[in-house]
Amino acid sequence: MNRTSTSRWSSLGRRAAIGVLLSCAAASGAFAQAWPSKPIKLVVPYGAGSSPDVAARIIAEKVGARLGQPVVVENRAGAGGNNGTSAVAKAPGDGYTFLISTNGPLVYNTVLYENLPYDPFKELRPVVLAGGQANICAVRADSGINSLRDLVATMKREPGKFNYSSIGVGSLSQLGVELLKARTDTFAVHIPYASSPLAVLAVLQGDVQFTCVPAVAVVPQVKAGKLRPLAVSTGQRSSLTPDIPTMKEAGFPEVENVAWMAIMAPAATPTEVVQRMNQEINAALAMPDVKQKMNSQYMEPIGGSPEDLQRFMAKELKTMAPVIKRMGAKLK
């Protein structure tokens, strides 16, 4: 084939490629305009009554009304959130399946598990950071420990005598303490429990010496005079617990962390649909009654763009991966 023929076929190829791209773009735009034409599923990889489940139901009601189609919450609990998260990662990207998951399944478990059945950074795409809640580090009110500095000093003075409770291996309530231990060169034995109320009960019964778990489980016992709060895990004081100092105020600025919930979609979900869902969820999170309902569970709405969430997850991985590796724990 001569040069003229080759040039001609290249030109035709470019035109064909451009035509295909324009056709795909038109089809995608048409899909986005028609979406949603049926109910949307929002998968929660935890049981009913969990923080992600509560947040999902608050958000789903508002978003469904705005979209004109129901947003149906489906609980798919198991394996510390991995089962439901994996199911959405493997689901078709047709715009009708979304996920609300947390720190562990979306970031930490990529380091903690040897054989995680999905890759959240490749098989899921960010939609929006829906909300967060502070962990509160607390001791028994009669412990004689009055501050986080006191706790750290006592652990250094009496190495090997402290246990702490969490809501499970790989949870932020464990990793936040492990981060504190790493930054202060202290030691305490981790005792995992199935829920934050049980983790708090372990402190009250004297089975462990301290815990760092969600505020919703700690505050009632603080108000009852049974627990002493030492610090909230967030970088700023929470308006929900304004009298409790931050980690920075307590003297440990490098130990800030937050238990967060993010809404994700299968990786193949059209960008137009992700953007629309992001827009509607942000609008819902800005509603006063949504904020009030989330605040009643000591959760704070966050919001933002998909890109904000992507950057946030990358930062979380960078911060916590060394902590998880230092623990030496590996799950299958």
Side-chain angles (χ1 to χ4, degrees):
M1 186 178 295
N2 61 35
R3 183 175 300 175
T4 302
S5 299
T6 302
S7 176
R8 180 187 175 198
W9 284 110
S10 296
S11 178
L12 289 172
R14 283 195 296 272
R15 291 176 189 173
I18 291 170
V20 170
L21 289 173
L22 290 174
S23 298
C24 289
S28 178
F31 176 83
Q33 289 175 4
W35 179 90
S37 59
K38 62 181 181 179
I40 296 165
K41 181 167 61 178
L42 179 58
V43 175
V44 179
Y46 301 98
S50 62
S51 293
D53 176 72
V54 171
R57 293 177 191 279
I58 293 170
I59 293 168
E61 178 185 2
K62 299 295 185 181
V63 172
R66 291 180 63 85
L67 289 174
Q69 288 286 349
V71 177
V72 181
V73 175
E74 178 181 302
N75 298 92
R76 297 192 63 167
N82 287 348
N83 286 354
T85 303
S86 180
V88 176
K90 308 299 182 186
D94 59 5
Y96 292 95
T97 302
F98 291 84
L99 167 78
I100 181 166
S101 196
T102 61
N103 313 45
L106 292 179
V107 177
Y108 307 157
N109 290 357
T110 62
V111 184
L112 186 61
Y113 280 76
E114 289 183 358
N115 299 300
L116 196 65
Y118 62 94
D119 185 337
F121 291 93
K122 293 181 179 178
E123 295 180 89
L124 292 168
R125 64 181 302 177
V127 178
V128 66
L129 187 58
Q133 56 185 159
N135 282 337
I136 296 180
C137 293
V139 294
R140 256 172 51 161
D142 61 359
S143 66
I145 294 172
N146 298 309
S147 68
L148 195 60
R149 284 186 182 275
D150 281 352
L151 176 63
V152 169
T154 307
M155 283 196 291
K156 286 187 173 182
R157 188 169 60 248
E158 302 176 30
K161 293 186 178 181
F162 276 72
N163 299 333
Y164 74 93
S165 58
S166 84
I167 59 174
V169 176
S171 66
L172 188 66
S173 65
Q174 179 198 12
L175 297 181
V177 175
E178 294 298 326
L179 184 59
L180 175 66
K181 288 165 55 179
R183 296 292 187 264
T184 58
D185 194 26
T186 52
F187 177 79
V189 176
H190 173 227
I191 310 294
Y193 289 83
S195 67
S196 51
L198 290 176
V200 166
L201 182 61
V203 180
L204 297 176
Q205 292 178 337
D207 298 327
V208 301
Q209 285 65 52
F210 70 101
T211 193
C212 294
V213 294
V216 67
V218 176
V219 172
Q221 301 301 333
V222 171
K223 291 180 176 178
K226 296 179 180 180
L227 287 180
R228 175 175 291 118
L230 305 180
V232 292
S233 63
T234 47
Q236 296 180 336
R237 286 206 185 201
S238 170
S239 60
L240 307 177
T241 54
D243 296 330
I244 303 176
T246 66
M247 286 287 183
K248 182 177 181 179
E249 292 170 331
F252 304 97
E254 295 182 346
V255 191
E256 296 170 1
N257 52 79
V258 61
W260 49 269
M261 296 164 284
I263 293 178
M264 310 286 287
T269 304
T271 297
E272 295 90 344
V273 170
V274 169
Q275 290 173 341
R276 176 77 187 281
M277 197 70 164
N278 172 272
Q279 174 186 328
E280 302 302 348
I281 295 170
N282 273 306
L285 293 174
M287 295 178 182
D289 61 328
V290 168
K291 182 176 181 180
Q292 187 277 325
K293 288 176 182 178
M294 292 182 71
N295 285 176
S296 71
Q297 298 296 310
Y298 294 92
M299 294 184 286
E300 305 238 24
I302 299 176
S305 69
E307 293 75 23
D308 290 334
L309 175 54
Q310 186 175 38
R311 286 189 291 268
F312 178 79
M313 288 173 60
K315 183 179 178 182
E316 281 279 278
L317 181 61
K318 183 178 179 180
T319 299
M320 287 301 185
V323 177
I324 297 169
K325 290 175 181 177
R326 179 181 182 270
M327 287 163 42
K330 270 292 181 183
L331 301 178
K332 294 184 179 181

